[in-house]
Structures are given as structure tokens and as C-alpha cells.
Amino acid sequence: MRRLLPRSIRARLTAVATLAAALVFTVTSVITLTTAPDNLRGVVQSRVELAVRRVAAEARIGELTPVVHPPARVGLMEVVAADGTVIASSPGFPQGLRLATASPPRSETVETSEREIYRGPDDPHAHYLVMAMTTRTPRGPVTVYGASSLSDVDRALRWIYLLTFLGTPLILVSVAGITWLTVGSALRPVERIRAEMAEITGQDLTRRVPVPETGDEIADLATTTNDTLDRLERSAETQRRFVADASHELRSPISALRAQLEVANAYPEETDWKTTGERALAAADRLTGIIDELLMLARLDAGAVAERRVVDLAQVADHQVRRREGSRVPVLPDLCAAAPVLGSPMQLDRLLTNLLDNAVRHAATRVDLEVSVRGDKVVVTVTDDGEGIPPQDRERVFERFTRLESGRAKDKGGSGLGLPLSREIAMAHGGTLTLTGHAPGARFTAVLPLYGPP
């Protein structure tokens, strides 16, 4: 079917609509041409037969008069005796006209025929339907003849044939033309959308397709297209900013490392190689951390699903606390017995690592870590007693490479990727990560789905 129809949607819809109309009109025409002649003649035949039977009934009971009055649409009536004598006729029956035939029908039966009857100069060859019925009367058998003109029937059939054989092609042409114009008008916005989309490039995502004011599916398509372009523009802008920020963050430790090595190489006798090596390792560690976080963010952005298994967040939190024994500020745990979630052990460990590193960096005297089960959720809260974060900046800290002035002052080695990565990990596990104020300090709350019954 695809090979038979044209490639253009406009032409295909026009062809389908025209074929459907042709099928409908063909079936309708066949039914009309088959049934209309019989139906029209049947009406005339019923009228004439009723008049003939009524006159025959009058003749049987001896009430027949020389002048019979047929119904208005039965033009001629004649009653003929067995010897051919006309004993009654309708008013104005033409002289010399005889409806009788050489062989009248059998008694009490009705015969029907069509013939040309000459009624005079005004109607020289009128087409009539003639019916005859023989009946017994007190005077002997008589035959009643009735005739009605078929001119109206012939005229109606001529119009039907004319409309069928001339009107049907005209209607099909009209259907094709109207469909062609209507579909073309409906698809005109689509062509404008296509033309605009063809001119939009990756370097210029600010353009948008026109939205027609029709409120139909095409308007919905244009709106959806513009929404998609909005998301693409935001994604491209985020990617460009991400690349620029990543380049900047990577350039700083690389430049510092290069400067240290160049100075050491220029003055080898005056260089403390142990100190230089420690600084180079620290810079390499920072680069490794930034690259690891960038790779994990890239995998999360790409929708990659890490291998998952049941992880006890209470146990992970306990390991995090043990690793931080002897740190600048103590981490005080409040852990439930078990908090199982389904997820990636490495990513969930990185989530807690980033939150605790951030809290320890900003805390004044302590960090509180709580893991609890509330209904069908596992809730992890990390609270520090530092300076806190202003309300207007509480969402900014989750933007990549965003570092507030207070954070830069406390730790010049941060990358601004820890908190954004933590939120991405929480979202990838079907959870959330939010920041709320806490007097004093700040509180981060991660909520993840509980694995198994609460």
C-alpha cells in the first residue's frame, strides 16, 4: 500500500479521501440505480391497481355507472364487456382510444403492461402503465382497464441518471480539491515549523518555531518543539559552562604543579625535593578527585545505571565516622540499627563522604550525623554548627563549580562539585537532597527509599 500511495502526506490524504468518496458514491449509485426504477413504478402501479380493483368491485355488485371517476393521478379508465363493447370509461376519455387488448386476463387476476398511448397532438407518444382485471358481473364478465402516465417517473429517472453519471465525477473532483486545500492549509504551519527547525543549529539554539493560534494538535506540536528547544538550549548552555568551569578548575592545579616543577628544575640545588614531591602529590590528588567527580557526574548525566545491591546506610555512616576519628572537629553519630536501601555502594559512600567533608570544612566545634528510618524512607541528616548558608544561596550550592566566598576562604582546594554530585546521586537513587537552615550552621537532609518493609 505504501508503494501505491504518493510520498506526500497531502497527496496521500487527498487520494484516500477521494477513493473513500468514490467507494461511497459507487455503492450508493448502484443501489439507487437498481432500486429507484422499481420503487417509482411501484408507486404508480399501486395507485392504478387500487383504482382498478375499486371499479371491478363496483361492477361485481352491479353499481357500475357509464362514467367512472378514477383518482386524480390515474388518468384513464375503461370497462369493456366480453364482446368488446365499452360499457364505462373515465371522463374525457379520448375518442378512438382503446386500452383493451386482444386477450384479456383471466378472471380476478391483474395484469400489468407498459405502452405508448396517443392522447392527441399535445401528448402524441405518452408512456403509460396499463393494468387490466377481469371480473364477473350480473351482465357477464367484464374487463376493467386503468392507465396512468409514467412521464413523471421517466423525468425523475432521467435526473437520477444525470446526477449519477455527471454529478458523481464532479463531486469526486470537489472532494479532491477541498481535501487538497484543507490539508495544505492544515500542514502549512508544519512546513513553517520544518523550515525553522532546518535553520536552527547547535551554535544558535535561541530561535523558536512559530506556534499557530489554532489550539489544535499542530499547535501542541509547536509548543512541545519549543519546550524541547528550551531544554536543549539549557543543556547546551550547562554543557558549555560545565566545560569552561572544568577547564578552569583543572587548569589551576595543573598550573600550580607545573610552576612548582619548573622552579625545582631551574634551581635543583636550592629545592627541597621532599616538600616539592609532597606538594606535587597533593596537586595530583586534587586533580584525581576532580576527575573522579567529573566522570561520576558524566555517568549520571548519561543515565548510566551502576550495579546495585542492598546497602545498609547505617553501616556506611558508621564507617565514615570511624575514618574521621581525630579530625579537626568530631563527628557525633546517631544511627539506627539498620537502614537498608537499594543502590550503588560506591555512589552512596561518595554521597556521605561529600556531605561530611563539607560539614567538617565549615563546622566550628562539631558535626552531627543522624541516620533514621521514617515510614518507607531512610533519612540521613548532616548538621554542622558553622556560619550557615544564606537562604538566597541554598540552591546555588547545588550548582556545579559553585563555591561561595566563605567556602573559598576556608578551603582553597575545593572544586564545587561535591554537593552537586551528592544531589545527583540522591536523585539517581529515587531520593532527594535538600539544605535547610539550622541555628547555628546548616543541615543537609538526604531522603532515600527504604528497601524492604518499614
Side-chain angles (χ1 to χ4, degrees):
M1 188 67 174
R2 217 176 255 179
R3 289 193 294 266
L4 296 177
L5 293 176
R7 179 174 176 270
S8 167
I9 293 178
R10 188 180 190 182
R12 283 206 302 269
L13 290 177
T14 301
V16 170
T18 305
L19 290 175
L23 179 62
V24 171
F25 278 104
T26 299
V27 173
T28 304
S29 299
V30 170
I31 294 175
T32 300
L33 296 178
T34 303
T35 59
D38 292 338
N39 290 337
L40 293 174
R41 285 182 170 82
V43 173
V44 177
Q45 182 176 341
S46 299
R47 187 165 55 238
V48 176
E49 183 177 358
L50 181 62
V52 168
R53 290 187 179 278
R54 180 176 63 80
V55 173
E58 293 175 355
R60 277 197 301 272
I61 61 178
E63 295 182 358
L64 184 65
T65 59
V67 178
V68 295
H69 298 278
R73 291 183 177 273
V74 179
L76 302 172
M77 293 205 71
E78 185 180 46
V79 182
V80 180
D83 58 0
T85 304
V86 178
I87 59 177
S89 61
S90 57
F93 195 88
Q95 293 184 357
L97 175 63
R98 290 293 177 267
L99 298 179
T101 57
S103 57
R106 292 177 298 172
S107 178
E108 306 302 331
T109 61
V110 179
E111 292 184 356
T112 304
S113 62
E114 295 183 21
R115 68 176 80 164
E116 297 290 334
I117 297 178
Y118 178 78
R119 294 194 57 175
D122 296 334
D123 193 8
H125 299 289
H127 186 201
Y128 273 76
L129 183 142
V130 180
M131 300 190 69
M133 177 180 179
T134 300
T135 185
R136 296 187 177 278
T137 67
R139 300 180 183 179
V142 298
T143 303
V144 179
Y145 294 91
S148 180
S149 175
L150 292 175
S151 299
D152 293 340
V153 174
D154 295 338
R155 190 178 303 110
L157 289 177
R158 281 195 297 271
W159 276 107
I160 291 175
Y161 295 145
L162 181 65
L163 291 175
T164 299
F165 294 108
L166 293 182
T168 298
L170 293 177
I171 293 175
L172 293 180
V173 172
S174 300
V175 168
I178 293 173
T179 305
W180 180 267
L181 295 176
T182 303
V183 174
S185 176
L187 293 179
R188 197 170 295 119
V190 177
E191 174 58 25
R192 289 197 292 267
I193 293 172
R194 186 206 62 78
E196 188 68 25
M197 287 292 292
E199 296 181 4
I200 295 176
T201 64
Q203 286 72 34
D204 182 16
L205 291 174
T206 59
R207 302 177 63 170
R208 295 296 179 265
V209 301
V211 180
E213 299 180 356
T214 54
D216 55 9
E217 291 83 355
I218 296 178
D220 295 340
L221 172 63
T223 302
T224 303
T225 302
N226 285 336
D227 292 341
T228 303
L229 289 173
D230 289 338
R231 291 193 295 271
L232 287 175
E233 183 181 12
R234 289 194 298 269
S235 176
E237 180 61 29
T238 301
Q239 184 179 9
R240 284 194 291 266
R241 189 171 63 250
F242 180 78
V243 171
D245 293 341
S247 301
H248 174 73
E249 293 295 333
L250 290 173
R251 187 181 297 114
S252 297
I254 291 175
S255 299
L257 178 59
R258 182 180 181 86
Q260 293 173 14
L261 295 177
E262 286 178 347
V263 170
N265 188 52
Y267 306 97
E269 296 82 5
E270 302 176 7
T271 300
D272 184 352
W273 287 102
K274 181 179 180 181
T275 303
T276 301
E278 290 174 352
R279 291 176 179 175
L281 286 175
D285 288 340
R286 184 186 174 197
L287 283 171
T288 301
I290 294 175
I291 292 172
D292 288 343
E293 289 179 333
L294 287 174
L295 289 176
M296 188 172 291
L297 279 171
R299 284 193 291 267
L300 291 173
D301 288 341
V305 179
E307 182 180 357
R308 298 191 175 189
R309 58 185 177 86
V310 179
V311 179
D312 187 352
L313 278 185
Q315 187 176 2
V316 175
D318 183 65
H319 290 165
Q320 290 280 346
V321 173
R322 292 179 185 276
R323 288 208 305 262
R324 284 174 171 76
E325 291 179 353
S327 62
R328 187 181 67 85
V329 294
V331 178
L332 305 180
D334 181 10
L335 311 178
C336 61
V341 298
L342 183 65
S344 166
M346 181 183 67
Q347 293 180 1
L348 293 174
D349 183 72
R350 176 58 66 90
L351 169 65
L352 288 178
T353 298
N354 291 346
L355 293 180
L356 289 172
D357 286 349
N358 180 77
V360 169
R361 187 181 305 121
H362 293 87
T365 60
R366 59 183 286 174
V367 172
D368 293 305
L369 171 61
E370 179 186 357
V371 179
S372 61
V373 176
R374 302 175 189 175
D376 60 348
K377 303 293 183 183
V378 173
V379 181
V380 179
T381 59
V382 178
T383 309
D384 66 75
D385 61 350
E387 297 178 358
I389 299 176
Q392 64 271 18
D393 293 330
R394 289 175 185 169
E395 280 299 315
R396 286 188 58 225
V397 297
F398 293 108
E399 297 177 2
R400 299 174 184 184
F401 298 107
T402 297
R403 300 186 67 202
L404 304 181
E405 291 299 326
S406 59
R408 293 181 184 274
K410 289 181 179 293
D411 183 8
K412 299 182 181 299
S415 64
L417 290 174
L419 293 178
L421 178 58
S422 298
R423 173 171 277 188
E424 292 289 341
I425 292 173
M427 294 174 61
H429 287 76
T432 59
L433 175 61
T434 56
L435 168 60
T436 57
H438 181 71
R443 172 173 290 169
F444 288 87
T445 303
V447 180
L448 299 172
L450 176 69
Y451 180 79

